[in-house]
Amino acid sequence: MKKTNIPHRFYLKENQIPSAWYNLRADMPEPPDPMLNPATLKPAVFGDLKPVFCDELVRQELDDTTRYYDIPGEIIDVYKIYRPSPLVRAYNLERELDTPASIYFKFEGNNTSGSHKLNTSIPQAYYAKKQGISGLTTETGAGQWGTALAEACSYFGISLIVYMVKASYEQKPFRKSIMKTFGAEVIASPSDTTRAGREILAQNPGTGGSLGCAISEAVEKAVTSENYRYVLGSVLNQVLLHQSVIGLEAETAMAELGEYPDIVIGCAGGGSNLGGLIAPFIRDKIQGKYNPRIIAVEPKSCPSLTRGKYAYDYCDTGKITPLAKMYTLGCNFIPSSIHAGGLRYHGMSPILSKLYHDGYMEAIAVEQTKVFEAAVNFARLETILPAPESAHAIYAAVSEAIKCRESGEEKTILFGLTGTGYFDMTAYEQHMENKIIDFTPSDDDLMRGFSGLPKI
Amino acid sequence: MKKTNIPHRFYLKENQIPSAWYNLRADMPEPPDPMLNPATLKPAVFGDLKPVFCDELVRQELDDTTRYYDIPGEIIDVYKIYRPSPLVRAYNLERELDTPASIYFKFEGNNTSGSHKLNTSIPQAYYAKKQGISGLTTETGAGQWGTALAEACSYFGISLIVYMVKASYEQKPFRKSIMKTFGAEVIASPSDTTRAGREILAQNPGTGGSLGCAISEAVEKAVTSENYRYVLGSVLNQVLLHQSVIGLEAETAMAELGEYPDIVIGCAGGGSNLGGLIAPFIRDKIQGKYNPRIIAVEPKSCPSLTRGKYAYDYCDTGKITPLAKMYTLGCNFIPSSIHAGGLRYHGMSPILSKLYHDGYMEAIAVEQTKVFEAAVNFARLETILPAPESAHAIYAAVSEAIKCRESGEEKTILFGLTGTGYFDMTAYEQHMENKIIDFTPSDDDLMRGFSGLPKI
């Protein structure tokens, strides 16, 4: 029965911020396949990852069995500045669509970083600080992750070097400014500051870079700098663990409202937002308590789940990272330069890949032009200008709500609105000028990507 | 006694959104002096203003006696999408300053428009729609008002033409994009679309424009277009009326927390945010119930309260508007091109001017460089990147908190954080590069401005 007495924006109380992260792996019938050391092809162990990541984060990365991780009080204190995030009922969108469905979204854009990425940048910077690390390196595509990490590092007083995909660096000058405002050093990637970058530049001097390439540079910089570590904003198990705060809060808020989602939707690039949002709902599904549909939404131009292979692959273009078993387009796959930079990654979180492979999750791929149409309409109705990444989820939620109109079903739809689009105005301008082009890789494009998969 | 058990972000419930706007004029010992018809120099009456503004807004403008205006349900419905706004306790700032003061701020930036301006753009668009008006015209300086009005017009389905101060139009291309995203037509002012614009261009072809000049163009365009009206985002009594939602919510939230401010601080350009925030606290002061200090913060480069004259003046450069009694630098005063574009106006709300004149309010003027230092430090500690306008209030709040550290007084400070700085990154970049210049008008500059005051 559709409820009409729910507030537009529902906030949990401060003491309802989760006190522990939820480690979905512990409840999966089969855990995701382990990362492999690329030299030995054996499962990566603590010592393999220790030079790259902070110790505590390595432990979290490798731990498939601990169900809950208590969140340290120092991290909760920072979460309190912007969490709990609101659960929003999209009444205006429902009215416009004339749908019997109830549409909710968990909005993670209410902080300067503008996205959910702060949920993991804070613990990653905190653990680095606690371990006495001097500085961190990372890469950023759209810039949301770099911004969130710059904020967290500034808060805890740690140095940060960000390799920013060159195409974004040039298209989004203000993303660079905001990272610098928080004290980060920002380098366009590929750069001449690393061997990986120099090699890529030598092969292709005019390249706009890619996330895979920026990862290579950031990892190299970390392991070759004194007392530095590398951090990543998506894909990894540790990141999905931290992002479980999204899903846990959403679950609690919906329960307080007497609701439970029939459909849970999130955009998927590396998978961190989706993995965090769906964690408790997948648990319910595994335990047979409820059976919500879970839908990952990816861009047609970078369709790792819908057209990729489930295989071991490198996480980066320079092939210096461990191997992860995931849905991948091949680490050599160069995605077209779409506007949702956060979704331009060749692979997908191993946890989500496993869930998709085992049938717990669906995936769809959508075109950019449709995504921007959905974004502008949403902004008009709900006073939030979404990031292009987030708008993928909006598009899918709208599609499901329209199906409900046609079938008359009063379904409850929950989607993740990961961030705001204030730094994506160039893309919105192109949309208004009808200059956005849809791109779908050909089978040949995909074959070229797959040809680079390691032979294991 | 300093309270330490207050949540970081405190949200009222949806049903605590004020059901009526509070008209402070009804409780002022002496109401502000009336607007004058510039032709007759007699107090403006309904018929004088009707060609320019929507009927209901004219009524609100001229009404000094009705204490409360019920907010129509259709407006409340839109307020619910982003209100109540949070009352935030700035614990991190307090800790950094090591102050015994408690610092609260009312944060109005949690919506796409990025500022408090939506509180008045929604009713203004609503009343226009209800009256059957075809379209609206307005001006915008920094772009916050234009964005907020574009959102509201898009929501209610009304056409909008925005005259944007040319300097901002060029410096802030993304502000223009976001207004266009919401369907507004945006014209750089001065333009050749109005007689006022053409005259100013003929005198000074290279001018970057001013708010006063853009007002002239927007008013002219409204009165010469079929079934159009003009709307303004600040200065007017009706705008302060709508913005009283800020103060009413702040009052209720503080009461629920068992707090009352000793000091209330807001930035002041035209005065809408400050007038809205302080309304209930000024009422308490007038009624002798409490005696909070009220501090207006303006930029040194445009010091209408601290160095202006209390006199009748035009609201625009083209001298086509009614005359308002206000603190003014003279409608010919051209403020230097500072970054807080929202504070670059020659005059000040007649209500605030009267309160200041009668001793209910203090005012200070601060330098840009100090404002940006305060802004960056605040962003680092509180995860909100403030608009340069809002950062004026931050600077003053920090100054007062430091005084408390020195005196040992546990004062409660409340300030208005009017908006976010996502569209001000050029300014933040200049700050990081030490390129921000402080400017204080000379006595000669002021004399030139005053020389243009109408002889009444």
Side-chain angles (χ1 to χ4, degrees):
Chain A
M1 182 65 189
K2 183 163 173 159
K3 298 190 176 184
T4 56
N5 61 344
I6 305 279
H8 283 65
R9 292 198 168 199
F10 181 68
Y11 289 93
L12 295 172
K13 296 205 183 314
E14 186 170 86
N15 61 15
Q16 291 176 298
I17 294 174
S19 58
W21 293 302
Y22 169 54
N23 186 9
L24 175 60
R25 284 168 289 169
D27 283 326
M28 286 168 68
E30 287 176 30
D33 292 311
M35 268 199 239
L36 301 183
N37 177 321
T40 63
L41 297 185
K42 290 195 176 151
V45 294
F46 186 85
D48 295 331
L49 300 179
K50 181 178 164 57
V52 180
F53 299 113
C54 300
D55 295 357
E56 175 58 26
L57 294 168
V58 175
R59 271 188 283 274
Q60 295 178 2
E61 188 64 29
L62 298 175
D63 181 357
D64 285 348
T65 55
T66 308
R67 295 185 74 223
Y68 288 97
Y69 270 84
D70 283 345
I71 306 176
E74 294 92 332
I75 294 173
I76 298 264
D77 279 349
V78 196
Y79 278 172
K80 282 179 182 170
I81 307 178
Y82 69 101
R83 303 202 70 83
S85 71
L87 179 72
V88 187
R89 175 76 179 268
Y91 281 118
N92 292 331
L93 188 60
E94 289 174 20
R95 197 177 303 126
E96 165 113 343
L97 297 173
D98 190 22
T99 177
S102 300
I103 308 175
Y104 291 88
F105 60 91
K106 181 73 171 159
F107 179 43
E108 292 289 321
N110 267 356
N111 61 70
T112 292
S113 82
S115 81
H116 67 295
K117 298 286 187 183
L118 207 51
N119 300 330
T120 184
S121 70
I122 291 165
Q124 294 201 50
Y126 166 77
Y127 289 122
K129 179 73 177 183
K130 207 175 163 198
Q131 195 181 324
I133 299 301
S134 309
L136 295 173
T137 70
T138 198
E139 72 293 322
T140 198
Q144 290 187 334
W145 166 242
T147 306
L149 187 61
E151 265 195 59
C153 285
S154 158
Y155 186 88
F156 287 111
I158 304 173
S159 295
L160 172 64
I161 303 170
V162 180
Y163 287 88
M164 183 170 188
V165 175
K166 192 182 278 174
S168 286
Y169 186 91
E170 287 164 359
Q171 275 171 17
K172 299 188 177 185
F174 294 158
R175 268 288 174 205
K176 180 180 55 193
S177 313
I178 193 165
M179 287 184 260
K180 285 184 177 170
T181 300
F182 285 102
E185 180 183 352
V186 186
I187 299 171
S189 168
S191 76
D192 62 4
T193 65
T194 65
R195 196 170 72 173
R198 288 189 294 272
E199 280 176 8
I200 291 165
L201 282 175
Q203 285 164 24
N204 189 353
T207 179
S210 71
L211 215 45
C213 161
I215 294 176
S216 298
E217 288 204 85
V219 172
E220 180 185 328
K221 185 74 180 179
V223 297
T224 57
S225 300
E226 178 69 24
N227 199 31
Y228 265 64
R229 290 293 186 282
Y230 166 73
V231 293
L232 183 64
S234 191
V235 184
L236 297 176
N237 300 334
Q238 57 185 271
V239 175
L240 270 72
L241 175 70
H242 305 148
Q243 293 293 2
S244 66
V245 293
I246 304 174
L248 294 168
E249 280 186 11
E251 180 193 28
T252 305
M254 293 206 86
E256 289 213 356
L257 299 174
E259 294 275 41
Y260 190 90
D262 299 302
I263 308 173
V264 185
I265 298 167
C267 61
S272 76
N273 134 70
L274 183 64
L277 175 65
I278 67 178
F281 304 108
I282 288 278
R283 179 203 60 214
D284 290 349
K285 200 165 168 135
I286 288 169
Q287 296 178 345
K289 196 171 159 196
Y290 291 102
N291 192 25
R293 284 177 61 203
I294 310 284
I295 306 175
V297 193
E298 57 184 18
K300 276 217 164 155
S301 58
C302 195
S304 49
L305 286 170
T306 52
R307 296 179 71 198
K309 284 196 177 171
Y310 189 46
Y312 269 106
D313 194 7
Y314 293 96
C315 300
D316 68 325
T317 306
K319 304 188 180 183
I320 64 176
T321 65
L323 297 167
K325 180 80 172 283
M326 57 186 177
Y327 278 86
T328 177
L329 298 164
C331 65
N332 293 337
F333 179 83
I334 301 287
S336 88
S337 148
I338 56 162
H339 291 293
L343 306 183
R344 289 179 64 219
Y345 182 62
H346 66 274
M348 180 58 65
S349 143
I351 294 176
L352 290 189
S353 293
K354 179 70 176 163
L355 290 171
Y356 180 59
H357 184 257
D358 290 352
Y360 290 101
M361 189 173 94
E362 308 164 37
I364 61 170
V366 298
E367 287 161 340
Q368 275 200 104
T369 47
K370 290 184 178 162
V371 163
F372 275 96
E373 276 165 28
V376 171
N377 195 45
F378 181 82
R380 189 173 62 77
L381 293 165
E382 298 290 339
T383 77
I384 296 169
L385 185 80
E389 290 82 359
S390 320
H392 284 70
I394 295 172
Y395 174 81
V398 167
S399 303
E400 292 297 329
I402 290 173
K403 282 185 209 163
C404 288
R405 180 178 68 209
E406 288 159 2
S407 68
E409 288 173 288
E410 289 189 342
K411 289 191 178 164
T412 300
I413 299 169
L414 168 66
F415 71 91
L417 192 77
T418 54
T420 53
Y422 298 111
F423 291 94
D424 300 284
M425 292 316 301
T426 306
Y428 275 97
E429 256 184 16
Q430 291 186 5
H431 167 68
M432 284 182 286
E433 294 166 1
N434 291 315
K435 286 184 183 161
I436 292 206
I437 294 163
D438 289 321
F439 176 79
T440 304
S442 68
D443 289 342
D444 281 355
D445 292 335
L446 294 186
M447 288 312 296
R448 259 194 301 280
F450 296 146
S451 70
L453 286 174
K455 310 285 177 281
I456 293 170
Chain B
M1 182 63 189
K2 183 164 173 157
K3 298 190 177 185
T4 55
N5 60 344
I6 304 277
H8 283 66
R9 291 197 169 198
F10 182 68
Y11 290 93
L12 294 172
K13 295 205 183 315
E14 187 171 86
N15 61 15
Q16 291 176 299
I17 294 173
S19 58
W21 293 302
Y22 169 54
N23 186 10
L24 174 60
R25 284 168 290 170
D27 283 325
M28 286 169 67
E30 288 177 30
D33 292 312
M35 268 199 239
L36 302 183
N37 177 321
T40 63
L41 295 185
K42 291 196 174 146
V45 293
F46 185 86
D48 294 330
L49 300 178
K50 181 179 163 56
V52 180
F53 300 112
C54 300
D55 294 357
E56 176 57 28
L57 294 168
V58 175
R59 271 187 284 274
Q60 294 178 3
E61 189 64 29
L62 298 175
D63 181 356
D64 285 349
T65 54
T66 308
R67 294 185 74 224
Y68 287 96
Y69 270 84
D70 282 345
I71 306 177
E74 294 91 333
I75 293 174
I76 298 265
D77 279 349
V78 196
Y79 278 172
K80 282 180 181 170
I81 308 178
Y82 69 102
R83 304 202 69 82
S85 72
L87 179 72
V88 186
R89 176 75 180 269
Y91 281 119
N92 291 330
L93 188 61
E94 289 175 21
R95 195 177 306 125
E96 166 114 343
L97 297 173
D98 190 23
T99 177
S102 300
I103 307 176
Y104 290 89
F105 61 90
K106 181 74 171 159
F107 178 44
E108 292 288 322
N110 268 355
N111 60 71
T112 292
S113 83
S115 80
H116 67 296
K117 297 285 186 182
L118 206 50
N119 300 330
T120 184
S121 70
I122 291 165
Q124 294 200 50
Y126 166 77
Y127 289 122
K129 179 73 177 181
K130 206 174 162 198
Q131 195 180 326
I133 299 300
S134 309
L136 296 172
T137 70
T138 199
E139 73 293 321
T140 198
Q144 290 188 334
W145 166 240
T147 306
L149 187 61
E151 263 195 62
C153 286
S154 157
Y155 185 88
F156 288 111
I158 303 173
S159 295
L160 173 65
I161 303 170
V162 179
Y163 287 88
M164 184 171 188
V165 175
K166 191 183 278 176
S168 286
Y169 186 91
E170 287 163 358
Q171 274 171 19
K172 299 188 177 185
F174 294 157
R175 268 288 176 204
K176 182 179 54 190
S177 313
I178 193 165
M179 288 184 261
K180 286 184 178 171
T181 300
F182 285 102
E185 181 183 351
V186 186
I187 299 171
S189 169
S191 75
D192 62 4
T193 65
T194 64
R195 196 168 75 173
R198 287 189 294 272
E199 280 175 7
I200 291 164
L201 282 174
Q203 285 164 26
N204 189 351
T207 179
S210 71
L211 216 45
C213 160
I215 294 175
S216 299
E217 288 203 86
V219 172
E220 180 184 328
K221 185 73 179 179
V223 297
T224 57
S225 300
E226 179 68 23
N227 200 30
Y228 265 63
R229 290 293 186 283
Y230 166 73
V231 293
L232 183 64
S234 191
V235 183
L236 296 176
N237 300 334
Q238 58 187 266
V239 176
L240 270 71
L241 175 71
H242 305 150
Q243 293 293 2
S244 66
V245 292
I246 305 174
L248 294 169
E249 280 186 10
E251 180 192 30
T252 305
M254 294 207 85
E256 289 212 356
L257 299 174
E259 294 275 40
Y260 192 91
D262 298 302
I263 307 174
V264 185
I265 297 169
C267 60
S272 77
N273 133 72
L274 183 64
L277 174 66
I278 67 178
F281 304 109
I282 288 278
R283 179 204 60 213
D284 291 350
K285 199 164 169 139
I286 289 168
Q287 297 178 345
K289 195 171 157 197
Y290 291 102
N291 192 23
R293 283 177 61 203
I294 310 284
I295 306 175
V297 193
E298 57 184 19
K300 276 216 165 156
S301 57
C302 194
S304 50
L305 287 170
T306 51
R307 295 179 71 199
K309 282 196 176 167
Y310 189 47
Y312 268 106
D313 194 8
Y314 293 95
C315 299
D316 68 325
T317 306
K319 303 188 178 183
I320 64 176
T321 65
L323 298 167
K325 180 81 173 280
M326 57 185 178
Y327 278 86
T328 177
L329 298 164
C331 65
N332 293 338
F333 180 82
I334 301 286
S336 87
S337 152
I338 57 161
H339 291 292
L343 306 183
R344 288 180 64 218
Y345 182 63
H346 65 274
M348 180 58 67
S349 143
I351 295 176
L352 291 189
S353 293
K354 178 71 177 162
L355 291 170
Y356 180 60
H357 184 256
D358 290 352
Y360 290 100
M361 189 173 93
E362 308 165 36
I364 60 169
V366 299
E367 286 160 341
Q368 277 200 104
T369 48
K370 290 184 178 164
V371 164
F372 275 96
E373 277 166 27
V376 171
N377 194 45
F378 182 81
R380 190 173 62 77
L381 293 165
E382 297 290 340
T383 78
I384 296 170
L385 185 81
E389 290 83 359
S390 321
H392 284 69
I394 295 172
Y395 175 81
V398 166
S399 303
E400 292 297 329
I402 290 173
K403 283 184 206 161
C404 289
R405 179 178 68 209
E406 287 159 2
S407 68
E409 289 173 288
E410 290 188 342
K411 288 191 178 164
T412 300
I413 299 170
L414 167 66
F415 72 89
L417 192 76
T418 55
T420 53
Y422 297 111
F423 291 94
D424 299 284
M425 293 315 302
T426 306
Y428 275 96
E429 254 185 18
Q430 291 187 5
H431 167 67
M432 283 181 286
E433 293 166 1
N434 291 316
K435 286 185 183 161
I436 291 205
I437 294 163
D438 289 323
F439 176 79
T440 303
S442 68
D443 288 343
D444 282 355
D445 293 334
L446 294 186
M447 288 312 296
R448 259 193 301 279
F450 296 145
S451 69
L453 286 174
K455 309 286 176 282
I456 293 171

